[in-house]
Each structure stands twice: as C-alpha cells, then as structure tokens.
Amino acid sequence: MSAPTVTVRLTHSAERLVRMEHPWLYAESIRSASREGDAGDLAVMFDHKQKLLALGLWDPDSPIRIRVLHRGKPRPIDRTFFAERLRDALAIRAPLEAQATTGIRVVNGDSDGLPGLVLDRYASTLVLKLYTAAWLPHLPEVRAAIDGVLAPERLVLRLARAIERACEQRAGLSDGALLAGPALDAPLDFRENGLRFRCDPVRGQKTGFFLDQRENRARVGELARGKRVLNAFSYTGGFSLYAARGGATDVVSLDSSRAALDEARENFALNADVPEIARANHTCVCDDAFSALARLEREKQRFELVVLDPPAFAKSRDEVGSALSAYAKLAELGCGLLAPEGLLVMASCSARIDADALAGAIHKGAARAGRKLDEWQRSAHALDHPVRFPEGAYLKCLWLRAAG
Ligand code: SAH
C-alpha cells in the first residue's frame, strides 16, 4: 500500500454500519485515529476485537470522514484493485450496449465500490467526476486502471464545487481539465436508445448530461403519442426528444438556461431524420419555471403530459421543509396546465426527500389547484445507476393521472 495510513478504531454502531456495507463514516463514528492524516490517506479500520474490518479513503476536510473502499482481508489499494472495480461495474452495464446507447454511467460512485467518484462515458470520451479531494493521491493509479480497462480516446476531469479549491491548490487541477487525449473543440455526439444527443462535458451541468433519467425519458416516449407535452426543467431537451419521437404533436422545452435550450434545439436538428421528430412542433421557453408555468396557465394553454424535473431543492437537512413547499408549488402550477385526464410526471433528485414525502407534496399542490391526481407508478434511476445504500437513492419519479 503506497498511501500513508491512518489506523482507526470505530464505535460499535459504526462497525455495524460497515458490516452492512454502508460506505460512509462520519466523524462521530470514529473512536480513535492514530494521527490527523491528510485527504487520501488510507484509513485502516479495526473492530473492537482488534481485527481488521475495512480499508477506506480518509478525508479530514469532509463531514464524511471515511469512505469505505474494501471490507475484509487486507489488500493493496492500487491499479489492480481499481481495475477490478471497473470490470465489475462494466459487467452490470453490458445490456446498455445492445440498446444503441453510448452515453453510460460506468461508475456510480459509492454504489460501485468507488465512493465519491463518478465515471461517465460519452462514446469514446470518459468524464471523471470527483466529489472528494481524497482521490487526488490515487489519481495516477485510477487513471492507469481506466486506461487498461476502458482505453478511452479522451479523459476529462470534473470537480464538485466543494473541492475545486483544494484540487487547484494541491494538484493544480481545475474543473474541466483535459487529463488525456485530444482537446475538445466541439460538443460530443453520443446515442441514447437510438436518439442522437450532443453534450458539452467540460462546461455542461454534471458531466454534460443527466444519464440517470434515461429509463424515465423512454417511458415518457411511450406515453406521448398524439399529446401536447410540456417539459419543464428540460435542460438540453432529453424528455422532449423522446416525447417527439413517441408521436407528441407539440413539445415545449422550458428551462432558465439559454445555453441548455440552444443545445435542445440542436438535439432536435440532429434527429431531424426521424419523421416523428421532424413533424413535432417544438418550441423553447427560456424563463424561470415558476413564473412561466403561471403565465402559461393564464394564457389558458393546456397539455396532456407535463414533465417536471427540477434540480435538487433540498441540498441539506435544513432545506427539506422549504423544498417540500417548492415541490408542492410546482405540482400546483403543473396541475393548472393539465388537460382532463392529463399525465403528470414529477421527479425529485433531493436525496433527503423520499418518494412518500414527494407524493405528499404533489397531492397537496394538486388539491390547491382543485385537481385530484391518481398515482399509478413510481420509478427511479436507470440501470447504470445502481443503489446499494439508502442515501444513494436520490432520484424518485412519480407518475400521476388527473381525474377528468
Ligand atoms: N430533465 C433534464 C434534466 C434537468 S436538470 C434531462 O432529462 O436532461 C435541471 C434543469 O433545471 C437544469 O437544466 C437547470 O438549468 C434548470 N433550472 C434550474 N432552476 C430553474 C428554474 N427556476 N426555472 C427553470 N429552469 C431551471
């Protein structure tokens, strides 16, 4: 093991958590640590019988003090270890290759055994997104494993905002840096269920695209025939394209980001060879969703299918209350636009709000709009976003039908 180590003893309840394969340990889980340590040191965890329990990434700068990498017998945390994790992750994703899909989350962080690390593939480009600076000392070994297992043409680095400064200071790495391969002078083309999309992995949100919604987008496509569809928080038009291909007559993409809507238009142009997409009447509205939905209601516009996929409203526990009010408000506004028997699809990517709480907020909003909604389905992340611990289940999507 090349990284310096910190010997750690855990509380009894933390020991149980590790045995249950939970990947996070907060500061209060730690009874003693042999030294202060630096981000990326290897935490070597012992149980109360002095038996080695697990190895993890030590991070003194994060509330999550240890991210568990490996349980059981000692082993080196090196390129061989990372390559094994990559191969295991690839095996789960194999079915996607057969679905004309080249935009794939290859590693979904903690749930794929590489906590705080995401690896997305867009055709032959890989985007590595780090959520903790504890990965920095391991980057050379991680990159060697990526080269060996995936041999990408290009590797782009993205950094969570919270660690941008630390990465700049400690390693001279900035968000959007090109780690390997030719410079990117144009957006990337990739496919999702046969549709062509373009994304910008350097400047785009997340790693350029919201891959987690792939299956929900496909389901919207199946429900869209003959409908007028409103896609609020559309980003680059993911749900809109599926709706158009599914036979929607009119599709409105609504987002506050002009750049995202420009890309949505381009994505429609890219797929103009699909007759249904060429035929659909697609319009973009660049505005704050709350005011635009209210305006559309006043203009008496009505839709048979409304998709609401806002950004996370609750990023911390204190924001849960205000987030639930915002979800209720959105549902109220969305219901105001629903035609009789119209469908409302509402998603939340706030990890702290579960599906029942979201449902509660939606029904509250619907009641305020004087509508009754029947929930007929709940769904979550796509196949390449496995979830192996409760906090990993951030995405919920509810499917509701309005009474006449
Ligand atoms: N549904 C999209 C992903 C949505 S991400 C997909 O399938 O790809 C959330 C989007 O909401 C982002 O594009 C962001 O620009 C937009 N957004 C954030 N706040 C907004 C607001 N108040 N009004 C409208 N759009 C907003």
Side-chain angles (χ1 to χ4, degrees):
M1 279 179 264
S2 54
T5 58
V6 180
T7 304
V8 177
R9 283 172 220 292
L10 301 174
T11 61
H12 278 289
S13 56
E15 264 185 57
R16 252 196 322 276
L17 272 182
V18 173
R19 290 208 168 88
M20 284 163 65
E21 305 200 354
H22 199 289
W24 296 345
L25 293 169
Y26 289 91
E28 52 271 25
S29 296
I30 293 161
R31 268 200 301 152
S32 71
S34 58
R35 44 187 210 93
E36 206 174 299
D38 293 316
D41 288 355
L42 210 58
V44 184
M45 292 164 259
F46 289 91
D47 67 11
H48 63 286
K49 292 183 181 146
Q50 321 303 334
K51 225 179 118 213
L52 180 78
L53 188 63
L55 302 173
L57 284 181
W58 179 253
D59 191 351
D61 308 318
S62 162
I64 305 177
R65 193 55 50 86
I66 301 174
R67 290 176 166 84
V68 179
L69 285 169
H70 168 74
R71 288 168 204 83
K73 294 206 178 76
R75 62 160 297 168
I77 301 297
D78 55 8
R79 71 185 70 184
T80 310
F81 172 81
F82 296 130
E84 277 171 27
R85 290 283 149 104
L86 289 176
R87 282 196 202 95
D88 290 349
L90 277 177
I92 303 175
R93 278 98 179 148
L96 287 172
E97 301 283 340
Q99 292 167 17
T101 294
T102 59
I104 296 174
R105 173 146 299 185
V106 178
V107 174
N108 191 34
D110 314 68
S111 290
D112 280 307
L114 295 173
L117 181 155
V118 155
L119 190 63
D120 285 348
R121 174 160 93 81
Y122 299 104
S124 54
T125 293
L126 286 179
V127 187
L128 176 66
K129 179 149 185 181
L130 302 182
Y131 290 85
T132 160
W135 278 108
L136 289 178
H138 304 276
L139 216 46
E141 296 286 295
V142 169
R143 286 181 54 182
I146 291 174
D147 279 341
V149 177
L150 293 143
E153 183 200 357
R154 181 185 289 111
L155 183 62
V156 175
L157 179 71
R158 297 297 303 265
L159 301 170
R161 197 158 302 150
I163 65 163
E164 273 186 46
R165 253 201 31 217
C167 292
E168 189 68 62
Q169 283 169 354
R170 286 180 208 163
L173 289 170
S174 53
D175 183 42
L178 182 70
L179 294 184
L184 198 63
D185 37 28
L188 288 174
D189 271 12
F190 68 97
R191 279 186 185 261
E192 192 180 87
N193 289 315
L195 285 167
R196 288 181 67 190
F197 283 99
R198 202 157 263 185
C199 80
D200 182 345
V202 175
R203 281 165 294 269
Q205 298 186 34
K206 301 277 174 186
T207 64
F209 202 68
F210 291 84
L211 298 165
D212 52 358
Q213 287 282 25
R214 184 187 312 106
E215 289 169 13
N216 295 326
R217 285 192 279 266
R219 209 162 299 178
V220 159
E222 289 159 15
L223 295 167
R225 184 151 305 278
K227 296 195 165 99
R228 283 167 295 178
V229 177
L230 172 66
N231 177 16
F233 307 93
S234 66
Y235 190 49
T236 55
F239 280 101
S240 303
L241 274 139
Y242 279 81
R245 184 171 68 175
T249 53
D250 300 84
V251 182
V252 177
S253 298
L254 163 63
D255 202 281
S256 56
S257 159
R258 194 166 296 280
L261 290 173
D262 287 345
E263 282 194 55
R265 276 190 213 93
E266 274 192 45
N267 285 330
F268 266 81
L270 268 181
N271 291 279
D273 57 328
V274 179
E276 287 82 358
I277 293 180
R279 260 202 306 276
N281 173 28
H282 178 231
T283 46
C284 291
V285 177
C286 185
D287 200 351
D288 165 62
F290 290 86
S291 35
L293 293 173
R295 192 183 62 246
L296 292 171
E297 214 270 311
R298 284 196 300 277
E299 291 169 2
K300 305 237 175 314
Q301 302 221 29
R302 294 296 177 266
F303 300 87
E304 285 82 30
L305 177 51
V306 172
V307 179
L308 302 171
D309 181 24
F313 287 150
K315 295 215 171 78
S316 67
R317 204 167 306 159
D318 337 328
E319 289 171 352
V320 167
S322 59
L324 286 172
S325 308
Y327 288 120
K329 184 69 199 167
L330 264 186
E332 177 185 349
L333 291 165
C335 282
L337 292 167
L338 272 185
E341 291 171 36
L343 298 178
L344 180 70
V345 181
M346 185 152 175
S348 158
C349 52
S350 303
R352 287 184 172 77
I353 291 180
D354 66 17
D356 285 339
L358 178 65
I362 294 175
H363 288 297
K364 202 169 181 183
R368 275 196 230 127
R371 302 296 290 268
K372 190 177 170 319
L373 295 175
D374 283 328
E375 183 186 318
W376 56 282
Q377 203 167 8
R378 285 183 184 187
S379 55
H381 320 71
L383 164 144
D384 49 347
H385 292 63
V387 175
R388 300 238 167 78
F389 64 112
E391 294 86 337
Y394 66 91
L395 183 66
K396 305 93 211 166
C397 190
L398 268 60
W399 305 70
L400 309 108
R401 182 174 281 111

